[in-house]
Amino acid sequence: MDLHSAQRITQAEAARTGLGTGPNRRLRLTLLIGMPMVFLVFGIMILVPKSLRDELLHVYEAGIIGCLLHYAWVFVKYPRHTGRPPYLTRDLAMGGGFYLPSLMLGFWPGMIAAPAWALFVGITYVVEVTRRRNDHR
């Protein structure tokens, strides 16, 4: 086994377990920080005056959009499944998880964008796998 193969195996195992490395780590941290923060936002909204609640809500909604844009940015960097690090397609599809915080807040752009994103990643994966199979025939 050469050094490149050993590094690839190590990266695959790190990507599969824990936070992973590289883009996998960034996407997982984006998800782990962005999604549960909705509960912190609800807690802060209880404590702040009514006049600041809408502003706090808009800041978190902008954060959801920023998280989804981060997912899109990583997709642009790794558009082809064959060129992605191991498990990155799965991590990209997990961006659909922002549907739940958007639903809890009634943030309709997030309720549309998050599942549409997961569907987009899935469709691009299926198209690429199908195209690769047809090329090998």
Side-chain angles (χ1 to χ4, degrees):
M1 176 184 313
D2 64 345
L3 181 61
H4 179 67
S5 296
Q7 287 175 337
R8 186 92 171 144
I9 291 169
T10 304
Q11 288 175 346
E13 185 60 24
R16 188 179 68 75
T17 60
L19 288 176
T21 58
N24 295 80
R25 175 181 292 251
R26 289 191 307 267
L27 290 179
R28 290 175 189 174
L29 285 174
T30 299
L31 190 68
L32 289 173
I33 292 170
M35 279 185 55
M37 197 172 284
V38 71
F39 300 112
L40 180 64
V41 168
F42 282 141
I44 293 173
M45 285 177 68
I46 292 170
L47 300 174
V48 299
K50 287 184 180 185
S51 61
L52 295 177
R53 288 182 187 162
D54 283 340
E55 284 76 13
L56 178 65
L57 195 59
H58 292 311
V59 167
Y60 182 70
E61 290 169 349
I64 289 175
I65 296 299
C67 289
L68 289 171
L69 287 174
H70 179 245
Y71 274 76
W73 178 72
V74 171
F75 184 85
V76 168
K77 276 185 85 172
Y78 301 97
R80 310 262 325 178
H81 173 71
T82 54
R84 290 182 189 146
Y87 297 100
L88 187 62
T89 301
R90 178 192 68 180
D91 293 339
L92 282 167
M94 291 172 78
F98 284 102
Y99 173 76
L100 188 58
S102 299
L103 182 66
M104 292 172 72
L105 296 173
F107 181 53
W108 66 267
M111 287 189 284
I112 294 169
W117 173 254
L119 189 63
F120 170 74
V121 171
I123 288 171
T124 58
Y125 172 74
V126 169
V127 166
E128 185 171 342
V129 168
T130 305
R131 185 178 294 160
R132 200 173 342 143
R133 281 189 190 150
N134 289 339
D135 289 344
H136 289 268
R137 288 184 183 178

